[in-house]
Amino acid sequence: MKKILKKNQIIIAALAIMIAVAGYLSYSGISIMEENDKLSAETENVVTTDSEVLENNTSQPGEAVLTGSSSFVAQAKVSREQIRSQNKEVLMDVINNDSLSEEEKQEAVASMVELTDLAEKEAAAEMMLEAKGFENVVVNLTGESADVMVPSSQLDDTQRAQIEDIIIRKTGIPGESIVITPMDESM
């Protein structure tokens, strides 16, 4: 019985690590280009007016159809949500698995809570940055670091300090762990 428990714990730990790696890779730019190609194909299903009906026959959890914008920022946010949704489905499968112990299920629940907490912090930071005039910002939190992509080719020291202050207040991540990346505004 103990071997089964250890095996299940290893599986849960491996899933948690894969979730963290997928999230990091997604927002570090490594897989963004691949997702851009996928999402470009999906933009063919875009609704152009309010009266048109969007038929979204998605079979994958978190799969979304882009409506409206095809900018890099919008694609990065959709990609982030797709990955999160897929990760949540995997965790729900673990939580609903009757062959796992309560301890293992609780680990999966804790991972789900952590995933939700990160999403809430990212959304709060993005909303506050947009309220301060930084539009189309993408905030990605991974563990104890924050990556902030700002569609501005140049940021002055005051703007960087303002962004850093908002990220610190909304996420609790220390300033030395925040990376602010200005992007070409044409993206």
Side-chain angles (χ1 to χ4, degrees):
M1 185 68 175
K2 286 193 174 197
K3 282 188 175 184
I4 293 173
L5 249 127
K6 287 184 180 182
K7 184 177 180 182
N8 287 340
Q9 288 174 335
I10 291 171
I11 290 170
I12 290 173
L15 286 172
I17 291 169
M18 288 188 326
I19 289 169
V21 169
Y24 175 77
L25 292 177
S26 173
Y27 299 108
S28 67
I30 293 172
S31 66
I32 292 291
M33 300 315 276
E34 295 169 0
E35 290 297 322
N36 284 346
D37 294 339
K38 290 178 189 175
L39 292 172
S40 295
E42 290 178 3
T43 58
E44 295 173 8
N45 296 326
V46 173
V47 173
T48 56
T49 67
D50 291 339
S51 62
E52 290 181 285
V53 177
L54 175 63
E55 290 186 26
N56 186 1
N57 299 325
T58 58
S59 60
Q60 294 291 339
E63 187 175 351
V65 176
L66 233 117
T67 58
S69 176
S70 62
S71 72
F72 175 81
V73 172
Q75 290 175 355
K77 287 182 179 184
V78 168
S79 175
R80 173 178 67 190
E81 292 310 312
Q82 287 175 336
I83 290 169
R84 248 191 212 128
S85 182
Q86 291 168 352
N87 292 343
K88 284 181 181 181
E89 183 190 20
V90 168
L91 289 170
M92 286 305 297
D93 288 344
V94 170
I95 291 168
N96 294 327
N97 188 337
D98 292 334
S99 67
L100 296 178
S101 71
E102 278 303 309
E103 181 181 316
E104 293 166 321
K105 290 180 181 184
Q106 288 303 316
E107 287 178 31
V109 168
S111 294
M112 179 85 77
V113 169
E114 183 180 338
L115 195 63
T116 302
D117 186 47
L118 286 176
E120 288 174 359
K121 286 179 180 180
E122 287 172 348
E126 287 174 353
M127 192 176 353
M128 182 59 74
L129 286 167
E130 287 190 22
K132 293 293 183 177
F134 298 101
E135 294 188 17
N136 297 320
V137 175
V138 178
V139 176
N140 178 44
L141 303 178
T142 53
E144 292 299 316
S145 67
D147 293 308
V148 183
M149 291 182 280
V150 183
S152 175
S153 56
Q154 293 185 352
L155 293 172
D156 62 32
D157 289 341
T158 305
Q159 291 170 315
R160 284 183 176 277
Q162 190 175 23
I163 292 169
E164 190 174 297
D165 178 60
I166 290 169
I167 299 299
I168 291 169
R169 283 184 314 164
K170 292 296 178 185
T171 67
I173 292 176
E176 61 272 3
S177 297
I178 299 171
V179 177
I180 301 170
T181 306
M183 309 182 294
D184 182 11
E185 292 183 57
S186 66
M187 293 184 93

